[in-house]
Amino acid sequence: MRILLPMPTAPPLAPPALVPPERTTAPAQGAPPPPAGFDVEHLAALYRQMLLIRRVEEESARAYAEGKIGGFLHLYIGQEAVAVGAIAALRPDDYVITTYRDHGIALAKGMSVRALLAELFGKVTGCSKGLGGSMHMFDKEHHMLGGYGIVGGHIPLAAGVAFASKYRADDKVTLCFFGEGAVSIGGFHEGLGLAALWKLPIVFICENNEYAMGTPLSRSMSVEDVSLKALGYGMDRDRFFADDVLEVEHRISEAVQRAREHGTPTLVEVRTYRFRGHSMSDPAKYRTQAELDEHKKRDPLVHTREILAKAGVADARFAEIESGVEAEVADARKFAAESAEPGLDVLASSTYSGPFAY
Amino acid sequence: MTHSLRFRDALREAMIEEMDRDDRVFLMGEEVGHYQGAYKVSEGMLAKFGPRRVIDTPIAEAGFAGVGIGAAIVGLRPIVEFMTWNFSAVAFDQILNNAAKMRQMSGGQLDCPIVFRGPNASARQVGSQHSHAMEHFYAHVPGLKVVAPAFPDDAKGLLKSAIRDDNPVLVMESETLYGVKGDVPEGDVLVPLGKARIARQGTHVTIAAYSRMTHVALEAAALLESEGIAAEVIDLRSLRPLDENTLVASVERTHRLVVVHEGWPYGGVGAEVVDRVQRLAFDALAAPILRVATLDVPMPYSANLELACIPQPERVAAAVRRVVGEF
Ligand SMILES: Cc1ncc(C[n+]2csc(CCOP(=O)(O)OP(=O)(O)O)c2C)c(N)n1
């Protein structure tokens, strides 16, 4: 017989600081009317960034198939509105840190396509001199503090970056991106716990793209709502879909403002979807074509384009944006292909600052 | 000018001097503040520097090791104390994958100037989970530096150098050494990383050791003296970088070498020393090099068994007698 224990008496729960807007069904077809008073030029700029990321990723996939890129390659296609919207909410001197799925985030933070593609090609002109590859996009100048390959391992680091901002009172904010797969590992909990305890200026952005490799959230977590994890840390939380880049920017801005003005962290769950497999070697057989098609109807690029068109942006303007992006990608690809490979001389000097410690 | 300090006071003096000198330096760890340090190394530092710079952490080694690394890559110079190095095992990923690789992954863009420190290896009867000699694991990793002082002056001088180094430096202390006294230079005297010290001169055999085992080696040397064997004791002080020149020069004089360390014999720092010396001083060697290490089992609790497992002066002396006599 099962004995039911009385529920322990607990102090009444304070309501969550932010009530997550639940949307469990797909949005109605077609773009909603553009938000009142949005700036068309700003949205056009965000659209260009998203398109650039999409095209760089497509080009990377092609180069991978040609054998020009080795190792792991995790594409960002489908998730562009997260990086672009979130980073639009930042100042240039704010910090960003993320996982191995880092191309889109690096580009949104200001890395040049040249530096990115050259890194993928393993060339010395790459952002990390060809030593890092796809998973390790670092750009110190743009405060892009890298992509990291151990799931959850960078989350405490992100808290440390925010700790440094608090220590120096420099009013910078750190954005830390990770997948929903990271929510099960200790680094997530230790990083969030310390950030909440010490009131650090940071926004944790969980890009919930529904799968960790082939594992859907329902098979890895006991609750469906990732943002609930914030409650145990007394942390503010938010949760929304990333179809609309302006919505992402707006919602992340609120969290960024909280971080900057009050020095408090937020956990934000952004619901998104990746259109490709986990990496180039994954044919994504764990999901159906119908499911993928359904999500593609909510492609953030298509959605944004519709809003812009409705707001009066002409075809000629789109053509101009597209040709600009194509030219940038073609130039970067040529640059990457023609750049030199790193020499053995970079090995020792990049391992230690100063003399090699042997 | 020197003054007499215990090992723990020397470490504290190093931290205080460096924190006075550089606002980017801060101390973080479990019980470092209000409790005054699990082993009282940081006693009084919270009162002196306040909670901004002496930071008590929850029990979350991976978390606060990572916080230290994150702070270091954007320009601070953290000192992260592990209550003991045993607990660094849960932060191993942070040290291995983030601290050690930061400079490489970023193509040289980001440095990671951080110090991890705390007591290492056996204490007394604390059992298998609390007696690890972790330096062997860490010295294996390119990107890290590892030091293990045996005397208060080196503790201070090496820690100061570690704090000023632009790389991650791991400082291995010993609970059993914290009370050891010695003359320590006052003020800004640094001991360079990567330089061994001749702790005792001798002509018949070289004993290489570090941390607490340097004291064991010196006791063994005293035993051997009465038997007419003059042992030279080299205190390595720094394990990565390793001062192979001092080792080789000594072996060229004595022609014999015994390496002593805590931690298991399979692989490790002792094996590394053996490899270097046999390669660099093969012709000078008159006997095989022997190692004296902790026995190849998890550390037992029982006092008699623990003593038998950890290298003792008599076991070191026995190894010396073999290399001097038998071979
Ligand atoms: C600690 C650790 N375990 C396993 C892996 C292998 N791995 C790489 S990515 C991944 C899935 C992570 O999924 P998620 O966090 O949702 O991010 P996404 O790939 O969807 O962006 C796994 C298991 C790893 N890199 N690190």
Side-chain angles (χ1 to χ4, degrees), chain A residues 123-346:
Chain A
K123 299 300 180 70
V124 72
T125 51
C127 63
S128 298
K129 295 202 174 94
L131 294 164
S134 167
M135 299 188 285
H136 305 306
M137 294 293 170
F138 285 79
D139 186 348
K140 185 179 182 183
E141 186 196 332
H142 291 100
H143 288 197
M144 169 65 196
L145 297 176
Y148 294 78
I150 307 299
V151 168
H154 67 297
I155 299 177
L157 256 60
V161 174
F163 173 93
S165 290
K166 180 171 182 176
Y167 188 90
R168 286 191 286 239
D170 66 8
D171 94 332
K172 290 176 192 155
V173 172
T174 299
L175 285 197
C176 174
F177 294 86
F178 48 88
E180 81 290 350
V183 173
S184 297
I185 203 167
F188 168 86
H189 296 277
E190 297 192 22
L192 263 72
L194 293 173
L197 177 69
W198 291 334
K199 299 203 170 21
L200 302 179
I202 185 166
V203 183
F204 296 102
I205 301 181
C206 175
E207 296 190 72
N208 180 355
N209 61 11
E210 303 202 5
Y211 294 92
M213 293 185 70
T215 304
L217 190 64
S218 60
R219 286 204 287 114
S220 69
M221 241 171 66
S222 54
V223 292
E224 180 265 346
D225 178 348
V226 170
S227 78
L228 284 177
K229 303 286 177 187
L231 294 180
Y233 301 111
M235 189 185 287
D236 286 331
R237 65 186 179 125
D238 196 2
R239 184 179 201 224
F240 54 87
F241 281 83
D243 309 357
D244 188 295
V245 67
L246 288 178
E247 173 77 358
V248 177
E249 180 186 2
H250 171 66
R251 299 289 276 270
I252 299 295
S253 293
E254 290 176 354
V256 166
Q257 192 183 351
R258 224 172 0 255
R260 200 176 323 275
E261 285 169 15
H262 308 292
T264 54
T266 305
L267 172 62
V268 184
E269 177 187 5
V270 184
R271 304 283 301 274
T272 181
Y273 199 80
R274 61 168 155 73
F275 294 168
R276 300 296 182 104
H278 168 73
S279 68
M280 288 303 286
S281 59
D282 169 26
K285 292 199 169 133
Y286 40 81
R287 64 187 185 189
T288 62
Q289 186 63 40
E291 176 184 317
L292 179 59
D293 291 344
E294 195 53 41
H295 280 282
K296 281 191 174 170
K297 287 183 196 153
R298 296 161 51 186
D299 184 329
L301 266 77
V302 175
H303 174 81
T304 307
R305 203 190 148 109
E306 281 174 14
I307 294 181
L308 286 169
K310 274 189 190 156
V313 173
D315 283 351
R317 179 73 194 281
F318 286 118
E320 186 193 312
I321 291 174
E322 278 152 24
S323 65
V325 164
E326 289 316 317
E328 199 173 335
V329 174
D331 162 75
R333 187 178 159 126
K334 186 161 178 292
F335 173 80
E338 289 172 0
S339 287
E341 291 174 340
L344 290 174
D345 57 303
V346 306

Side-chain angles (χ1 to χ4, degrees), chain B:
Chain B
M1 278 293 285
T2 65
H3 52 171
S4 174
L5 289 183
R6 291 173 306 175
F7 198 102
R8 60 161 61 80
D9 307 325
L11 290 165
R12 183 187 316 119
E13 190 165 278
M15 290 193 284
I16 288 176
E17 285 178 14
E18 293 306 299
M19 285 173 67
D20 273 337
R21 200 179 61 85
D22 184 348
D23 184 66
R24 296 171 302 172
V25 181
F26 65 93
L27 174 66
M28 164 186 275
E30 291 159 16
E31 311 290 3
V32 297
H34 290 275
Y35 192 81
Q36 312 299 327
Y39 298 97
K40 305 297 170 250
V41 174
S42 57
E43 191 165 25
M45 288 179 66
L46 175 64
K48 178 166 167 56
F49 292 104
R52 173 173 170 265
R53 300 183 70 195
V54 177
I55 300 146
D56 281 319
T57 67
I59 305 160
E61 279 77 7
F64 67 76
V67 165
I69 296 164
I73 65 176
V74 291
L76 299 187
R77 305 185 80 87
I79 305 168
V80 172
E81 175 174 314
F82 289 120
M83 188 177 280
T84 78
W85 272 99
N86 300 287
F87 314 128
S88 78
V90 298
F92 190 69
D93 174 59
Q94 287 297 335
I95 301 173
L96 172 73
N97 276 312
N98 290 337
K101 312 233 169 95
M102 190 59 66
R103 190 174 160 82
Q104 192 266 5
M105 290 191 295
S106 67
Q109 293 181 80
L110 298 182
D111 280 325
C112 188
I114 188 168
V115 170
F116 294 102
R117 47 155 293 272
N120 179 54
S122 68
R124 263 181 214 100
Q125 284 195 275
V126 291
S128 59
Q129 294 186 324
H130 284 72
S131 302
H132 289 118
M134 296 299 288
E135 74 278 19
H136 303 285
F137 297 96
Y138 292 115
H140 185 62
V141 182
L144 302 180
K145 297 184 179 181
V146 183
V147 300
F151 302 100
D153 53 349
D154 287 336
K156 178 179 175 187
L158 285 170
L159 180 52
K160 283 171 74 83
S161 293
I163 292 168
R164 294 190 198 183
D165 202 278
D166 283 335
N167 299 283
V169 184
L170 284 55
V171 181
M172 303 290 172
E173 301 157 10
S174 164
E175 187 189 331
T176 54
L177 291 181
Y178 280 145
V180 167
K181 276 193 164 176
D183 284 340
V184 176
E186 284 175 37
D188 227 11
V189 179
L190 277 72
V191 173
L193 309 182
K195 287 270 173 286
R197 150 178 181 162
I198 298 179
R200 176 194 169 114
Q201 292 192 322
T203 50
H204 298 131
V205 61
T206 300
I207 308 176
Y210 55 89
S211 188
R212 192 169 76 77
M213 287 299 112
T214 299
H215 299 270
V216 170
L218 287 169
E219 282 180 52
L223 283 177
L224 292 160
E225 190 176 79
S226 59
E227 300 167 27
I229 299 172
E232 177 145 303
V233 175
I234 303 233
D235 176 10
L236 294 173
R237 301 197 291 194
S238 176
L239 309 179
R240 186 177 186 122
L242 183 65
D243 183 0
E244 57 188 29
N245 293 338
T246 296
L247 273 169
V248 166
S250 176
V251 169
E252 281 172 348
R253 287 192 299 274
T254 64
H255 309 293
R256 289 166 170 85
L257 177 63
V258 170
V259 190
V260 189
H261 60 69
E262 290 199 68
W264 299 302
Y266 196 117
V269 172
E272 178 65 25
V273 170
V274 172
D275 169 65
R276 302 239 192 147
V277 172
Q278 64 83 25
R279 264 190 297 117
L280 301 171
F282 187 74
D283 292 336
L285 283 170
I289 304 167
L290 293 187
R291 288 183 296 155
V292 181
T294 302
L295 298 188
D296 207 8
V297 293
M299 188 69 78
Y301 159 72
S302 178
N304 70 315
L305 290 180
E306 186 186 45
L307 273 177
C309 282
I310 301 169
Q312 303 297 331
E314 185 43 53
R315 186 139 68 89
V316 176
V320 168
R321 288 183 204 111
R322 281 186 70 201
V323 297
V324 172
E326 273 180 38
F327 298 115

